[in-house]
Amino acid sequence: MDLVLIQLLNGVQYGLLIFLAASGLTLVFGIMGVINLSHGSFYMLGAYGALTLTQFTGDIFLSLALGVPLAFVFGFIIEWLFIRHLYDRDHLQQVLLTFALILIFNEAQKILWGSYPHSVPVPGYLQGGIKISQFLSYPYYRVAVAAFCVALALAMMFVIQKTRIGRIIRAGESNREMVEALGIDSRLLFRFVFASGAALAATAGIVAAPLESVYPGIGEPVLIISFVVVVIGGIGSIKGAFVGAILIGVADALGKVYFPAFSSSVVYALMAAVLIARPGGLFGRAA
Amino acid sequence: MLARPRPLVIVILLALLAYAVALPFFGGPFALKFATRIMITGIFVISLDLLIGITGMVSFGHALYFGLGAYSLYFISPVSSAANAFFAIPFAILLAGAVAVVVGSVAVLTKGFYFIMVTLAFGQMGFSLFFDTKIAGGTDGAYINVRPVFSIGSQQLLSFSNRTVFFYFCLAALVLSYLFLLWLVRTPFGRVLQGIHHNEARMSALGFNTYAYKLASYVIAGAMAGFAGVLFAAIDGYVAPELLGWRESGLAIMMVVLGGAGTLYGPVLGAILYSIVEETLKSASELTAIFSLVMNTATAKWLGGIVANSWSMALGFFLIAAVLAAPKGIAGFIERFAGEAKRSKPREIKPSAERREREKAMLLEVENLSRAFGGLVAVNGVSVKFPPNKVHGIIGPNGAGKTTFINVLSGALKPSAGNIRLENDEIGGKKPYHVARRGLGRSYQRTNVILPFTARENCALAAQAQFPSPFRFNNKWRREAEDEAVENALKAAGIAPERADIRASNLSHGEQRQLEIAMLIASGAKLLLLDEPLAGMGPEETGRVTALLRELSADHTIVLIEHDMDAIFAAADTLTVLVEGKLLAHGTPEEIRNNKAVREAYLGEWGQEAKP
């Protein structure tokens, strides 16, 4: 029973982390209409960035404070260099160009950090955990990560629902041309959205770094699972990404308990079930 | 529609083929293996082109079937003796095809971005199945110790362990796969796939079950990829789970686009180019040789070493440059030099008396029909009868629910309540293709034809929709009847014969609208539902199309929405007035003109001008 509880907690915490990555993906597609396969690379660069920054700062949260703006600027540059050429092109070319970006980012990672896994320390004041039973405890750092993700999710919902930029984002999601016709510079909007998406993925990578080892290709499972989350939640929907991510996190955790051999298939089965019932995702516009 | 390859393309392909046939006589074992791998990859990528370039479904999980085909050789091979290829190959094709049926039946429910993601996810599911479990060697991969042989009884015909034999076998397999797909996309079945690529809604409205066609395309492509996979496993006798993964799928898409999607031969060229580029970038010595053409040897050696060390980064930049510079791939360049495709000449049609026999136009009855969107009731309890062989106009102010009304009639929307009967057959809530097959054809407010097809090809597509057998590969069966329907439709819709073989994208707006009507006639529809057929037409075109509608009513029932009041009062036999979703009046133009309620509620704005 304790194992199930721990797994459930892990599942929710994993889901929250995935939400950060998936929300970036869903925003970029919902607003810009771009399929960004290199989204997982931003997660990977976030994790490796955390490795290097923590070596200097000694604290993962200081690395976070430094890393997120860096990731934002990096996303800004990547959009300017590559992504902006994709807006008038079809999905196929977007898939291709962002796939090529993965090759480049992976190689860059290998040159800069090598092929061996690394670990990032949990800060001293978050060592240890909450005692759940006689034998089991739940690490403070995981609790902190979960709390951070929830806070960020709430902040995002606030920005999107209540602020001017949020209103533009929501408008752009449902009618891109109209937003342009109203005199909003969509190039700037897109650059901002893409950079935010990159920053979100990197944020997830940074806070996840102390949870597991940092290794080459760390972003790829995150990319795939983010896709699944976006499909389940409905493209462009932050709320959908949130619900989808938690569902996936819990399904994955329970799958590991009950069907250990096929645990990774459980999330895909969940996705298939959602698609059969609602081909546009849970919160999506009709597909 | 995909035309037969131009002479230039045929010359290039034959040159490559000749080179390949000669290769075993001068190439070493490495070159032979390299070429074998390209041949197999070629089969894999053209099967993907059937999905991406022909049917318009970007699958990001195609490697699933390639990998399954490869693993099936492992499954069927005895530990220390050779599998019989007569069984191994069909087994691989069946396994991949069967999985494609299951995966496809879910994935094909989705479109566009969702389809990309869903196929990707299913591919990863297959990958993790082989990666995480021990069904076939797990992470370490699976070994096939002895290469398969073709044998009958104890008589061994050919063995894949002979490199040259295997190479020629793969070459033959590639050529046959290409010819098979080329034939397939040019059959009526393939024509529908291409129609779906360019305009799925239209195909559905014409009466095609697009889901079934897309699924069929997906399964054929999957089975072919399985065929490629089983050959691939025989190269090294080793299969790794990564073969099913998304990188492999991504690379396959790369090759398709690099070569030119939708051309079938392009992806093969893409596979060749990609393999050569990759091999060159990996080799420091070759790079040095290339670089030293433009710089001194020392620098060339230094740079060659750096690039070869990070070859996959260089590959990434190469691919980005290729995508941005040549979105249509290698085939795009070739086609530019090859000129416009020649299209086959239409055959002479001999009219036959029995086929001329006209079917009866249909009666449409609507009873208490409602359609609500949440709280908004767009159509509210409308009951009306449209008798056959008449032109019926539907008018009403903006927002009156006219378009919703005909969307419900055509099956594009489900009714919230009420009945729709076409000749006593209930069609309310049936799928659009079902409604269309019953004989109700519709056109759209915005012109909705398959732009890359010629007018004649558009009509042929429509004509084949009227014959119930869904999947047709044989061109001859019913072909005459279809050809005749096409010619009659073109004539009836007033499309000049010399315009019939021009791509729809090059026709004038008026001609495109006429083509839409021609498609409806060719589809055998007996009740035509037209959404603003006169929109955007000049007075002369309006007159021509109005006269056309009058003529068509001799053997069709016509229901149309129209804003051009003068035209519709002149053309229609009855008028139906909708206001705020409700039926306000129904009668002859004369009755409507004199109807007080209509005048008050709606006609005010123009009633003064349009005097009786």
Side-chain angles (χ1 to χ4, degrees):
Chain A
M1 198 54 227
D2 286 346
L3 180 68
V4 175
L5 181 69
I6 291 277
Q7 276 297 335
L8 265 179
L9 286 173
N10 275 340
V12 171
Q13 179 260 312
Y14 172 62
L16 286 167
L17 206 58
I18 290 299
F19 162 72
L20 294 189
S23 62
L25 196 67
T26 207
L27 274 180
V28 167
F29 187 78
I31 293 164
M32 303 161 59
V34 168
I35 298 176
N36 180 21
L37 290 180
S38 61
H39 197 66
S41 301
F42 295 125
Y43 180 94
M44 174 191 76
L45 293 176
Y48 273 99
L51 173 70
T52 302
L53 287 172
T54 310
Q55 281 163 2
F56 287 109
T57 62
D59 189 323
I60 188 73
F61 291 106
L62 282 176
S63 308
L64 184 69
L66 283 173
V68 173
L70 280 177
F72 188 87
V73 171
F74 185 69
F76 210 85
I77 294 169
I78 294 297
E79 196 276 350
W80 179 74
L81 278 176
F82 303 108
I83 307 296
R84 68 192 170 108
H85 304 293
L86 289 175
Y87 299 138
D88 300 328
R89 295 174 185 246
D90 61 13
H91 286 171
L92 199 56
Q93 291 173 18
Q94 301 175 351
V95 163
L96 226 71
L97 192 141
T98 53
F99 183 86
L101 281 181
I102 297 182
L103 297 180
I104 294 172
F105 287 143
N106 281 355
E107 197 60 38
Q109 175 272 319
K110 224 192 281 169
I111 294 170
L112 290 174
W113 288 286
S115 320
Y116 295 104
H118 298 271
S119 65
V120 174
V122 172
Y125 51 89
L126 285 179
Q127 297 286 354
I130 302 169
K131 218 163 182 206
I132 290 179
S133 71
Q134 211 177 344
F135 305 105
L136 289 168
S137 69
Y138 199 71
Y140 287 129
Y141 185 71
R142 280 182 185 269
V143 177
V145 166
F148 172 75
C149 292
V150 170
L152 199 57
L154 289 175
M156 273 173 70
M157 302 222 180
F158 175 80
V159 167
I160 286 176
Q161 293 300 330
K162 303 283 180 196
T163 63
R164 289 185 67 231
I165 180 84
R167 194 158 54 211
I168 295 172
I169 287 174
R170 275 183 294 146
E173 221 171 273
S174 64
N175 193 335
R176 220 178 310 160
E177 284 127 38
M178 194 59 213
V179 170
E180 262 183 61
L182 289 174
I184 289 159
D185 183 356
S186 69
R187 281 174 311 171
L188 203 63
L189 174 69
F190 285 4
R191 209 156 289 167
F192 173 79
V193 167
F194 189 84
S196 308
L200 278 167
T203 305
I206 293 170
V207 295
L211 291 175
E212 51 180 333
S213 63
V214 178
Y215 55 93
I218 188 175
E220 286 168 17
V222 174
L223 171 74
I224 309 277
I225 219 74
S226 297
F227 275 159
V228 173
V229 166
V230 171
V231 167
I232 289 182
I235 288 164
S237 164
I238 297 284
K239 204 189 340 172
F242 189 82
V243 174
I246 300 294
L247 270 177
I248 287 292
V250 171
D252 179 68
L254 293 183
K256 278 185 184 132
V257 179
Y258 294 110
F259 316 95
F262 300 95
S263 65
S264 44
S265 299
V266 171
V267 295
Y268 302 116
L270 179 66
M271 179 193 73
V274 169
L275 280 178
I276 290 170
R278 292 184 64 103
L282 293 176
F283 294 89
R285 287 161 257 152
Chain B
M1 200 169 109
L2 188 72
R4 284 199 194 89
R6 330 276 165 83
L8 178 62
V9 174
I10 295 175
V11 168
I12 292 172
L13 294 182
L14 285 178
L16 283 172
L17 181 63
Y19 179 83
V21 169
L23 185 69
F25 298 101
F26 61 83
F30 178 79
L32 204 58
K33 189 168 159 183
F34 184 65
T36 307
R37 190 188 281 261
I38 293 179
M39 303 294 147
I40 294 168
T41 313
I43 301 173
F44 176 39
V45 293
I46 57 173
S47 76
L48 182 60
D49 197 28
L50 175 66
L51 291 180
I52 292 181
I54 302 298
T55 322
M57 304 157 79
V58 179
S59 168
F60 206 142
H62 206 51
L64 172 62
Y65 306 106
F66 188 59
L68 278 174
Y71 269 110
S72 57
L73 184 61
Y74 166 78
F75 290 136
I76 208 169
S77 292
V79 176
S80 54
S81 59
N84 188 345
F86 277 123
F87 298 114
I89 291 174
F91 174 65
I93 292 173
L94 283 177
L95 182 71
V99 174
V101 171
V102 177
V103 171
S105 58
V106 175
V108 171
L109 289 171
T110 64
K111 286 179 193 142
F113 180 69
Y114 284 93
F115 184 77
I116 296 177
M117 305 253 165
V118 170
T119 47
L120 172 64
F122 276 116
Q124 283 312 100
M125 185 172 171
F127 163 73
S128 51
L129 199 64
F130 281 93
F131 190 81
D132 295 340
T133 68
K134 284 281 164 201
I135 51 175
T139 48
D140 298 334
Y143 291 87
I144 297 130
N145 299 321
V146 189
R147 305 282 193 284
V149 293
F150 275 107
S151 57
I152 297 173
S154 56
Q155 183 66 41
Q156 186 173 319
L157 301 176
L158 36 105
S159 165
F160 285 178
S161 42
N162 180 326
R163 288 289 168 202
T164 312
V165 167
F166 185 50
F167 169 77
Y168 280 125
F169 182 84
C170 291
L171 179 61
L174 174 62
V175 171
L176 290 178
S177 301
Y178 171 69
L179 293 176
F180 165 72
L181 281 184
L182 191 62
W183 167 78
L184 184 76
V185 300
R186 293 181 53 78
T187 61
F189 170 78
R191 188 157 59 197
V192 177
L193 297 185
Q194 293 168 78
I196 289 172
H197 184 173
H198 297 290
N199 198 334
E200 185 170 354
R202 188 74 170 109
M203 296 306 289
S204 188
L206 277 174
F208 293 105
N209 180 351
T210 54
Y211 174 84
Y213 276 92
K214 283 159 75 181
L215 182 58
S217 168
Y218 189 79
V219 172
I220 294 170
M224 268 186 84
F227 174 52
V230 72
L231 296 180
F232 189 84
I235 299 180
D236 288 327
Y238 170 68
V239 187
E242 282 75 19
L243 211 56
L244 291 83
W246 68 291
R247 283 173 164 279
E248 209 64 36
S249 296
L251 287 178
I253 298 179
M254 290 278 167
M255 295 176 203
V256 169
V257 177
L258 205 55
T263 57
L264 296 180
Y265 69 87
V268 179
L269 302 184
I272 297 173
L273 178 67
Y274 176 89
S275 309
I276 291 174
V277 169
E278 188 190 274
E279 212 53 40
T280 311
L281 289 177
K282 277 180 182 171
S283 148
S285 58
E286 281 185 40
L287 285 171
T288 307
I290 294 170
F291 289 145
S292 57
L293 294 176
V294 287
M295 56 184 78
N296 69 51
T297 320
T299 331
K301 196 165 184 190
W302 171 76
L303 197 61
I306 288 184
V307 174
N309 212 14
S310 318
W311 63 272
S312 77
M313 184 181 275
L315 186 63
F317 282 116
F318 166 75
L319 292 170
I320 290 177
V323 175
L324 294 181
K328 295 201 162 163
I330 308 171
F333 281 112
I334 298 177
E335 309 267 316
R336 202 180 298 164
F337 291 110
E340 180 69 15
K342 258 202 278 174
R343 291 178 184 275
S344 44
K345 281 258 163 61
R347 279 166 309 283
E348 286 294 310
I349 307 296
K350 282 166 267 145
S352 66
E354 61 269 41
R355 280 195 219 112
R356 266 284 169 77
E357 192 180 298
R358 287 179 168 174
E359 285 174 53
K360 186 164 131 279
M362 289 176 143
L363 159 74
L364 183 70
E365 292 167 285
V366 178
E367 220 176 71
N368 275 324
L369 191 69
S370 295
R371 165 72 201 198
F373 297 98
L376 174 78
V377 186
V379 175
N380 193 349
V382 173
S383 297
V384 62
K385 232 183 227 185
F386 297 117
N389 298 105
K390 296 265 192 288
V391 177
H392 305 280
I394 299 175
I395 58 172
N398 284 328
K402 300 181 299 276
T403 296
T404 308
F405 183 61
I406 70 166
N407 276 340
V408 177
L409 294 186
S410 72
L413 290 172
K414 278 193 166 48
S416 308
N419 298 307
I420 307 163
R421 278 189 301 273
L422 193 62
E423 288 289 310
N424 293 323
D425 250 10
E426 179 64 43
I427 56 165
K430 296 264 169 65
K431 289 215 171 1
Y433 69 85
H434 183 95
V435 173
R437 274 193 213 157
R438 282 289 297 117
L440 186 153
R442 76 164 291 185
S443 75
Y444 293 81
Q445 222 164 43
R446 287 163 75 173
T447 308
N448 210 341
V449 297
I450 317 280
L451 291 173
F453 281 35
T454 65
R456 197 185 303 278
E457 284 167 351
N458 266 291
C459 289
L461 204 50
Q464 89 189 63
Q466 70 176 306
F467 299 109
S469 101
F471 301 116
R472 288 199 12 249
F473 303 105
N474 182 352
N475 259 320
K476 288 195 187 72
W477 190 75
R478 290 265 207 173
R479 182 150 145 183
E480 279 186 21
E482 266 175 32
D483 286 349
E484 194 183 331
V486 169
E487 294 312 313
N488 286 338
L490 287 169
K491 201 190 284 170
I495 292 173
E498 69 272 14
R499 306 289 287 167
D501 289 307
I502 296 177
R503 279 176 184 239
S505 49
N506 295 336
L507 294 175
S508 74
H509 175 71
E511 283 173 319
Q512 289 187 1
R513 305 240 53 156
Q514 280 169 276
L515 176 56
E516 286 205 282
I517 296 173
M519 285 170 78
L520 294 183
I521 301 169
S523 78
K526 288 289 137 190
L527 189 139
L528 310 183
L529 212 51
L530 310 176
D531 196 348
E532 298 196 28
L534 305 175
M537 285 191 178
E540 193 205 326
E541 279 178 323
T542 303
R544 199 169 69 215
V545 174
T546 318
L548 172 68
L549 293 177
R550 294 294 332 161
E551 247 170 67
L552 284 175
S553 68
D555 47 1
H556 295 86
T557 311
I558 297 172
V559 179
L560 70 150
I561 297 183
E562 194 43 69
H563 278 296
D564 184 338
M565 289 302 159
D566 291 335
I568 200 163
F569 271 81
D573 296 304
T574 80
L575 286 175
T576 305
V577 187
L578 292 181
V579 174
E580 290 174 358
K582 291 197 182 113
L583 178 73
L584 188 71
H586 174 78
T588 64
E590 198 60 29
E591 286 165 2
I592 295 300
R593 207 170 259 145
N594 297 323
N595 185 313
K596 214 166 159 245
V598 176
R599 273 181 175 276
E600 277 169 17
Y602 171 59
L603 291 191
E605 44 189 288
W606 56 274
Q608 280 81 13
E609 303 151 36
K611 292 214 173 65

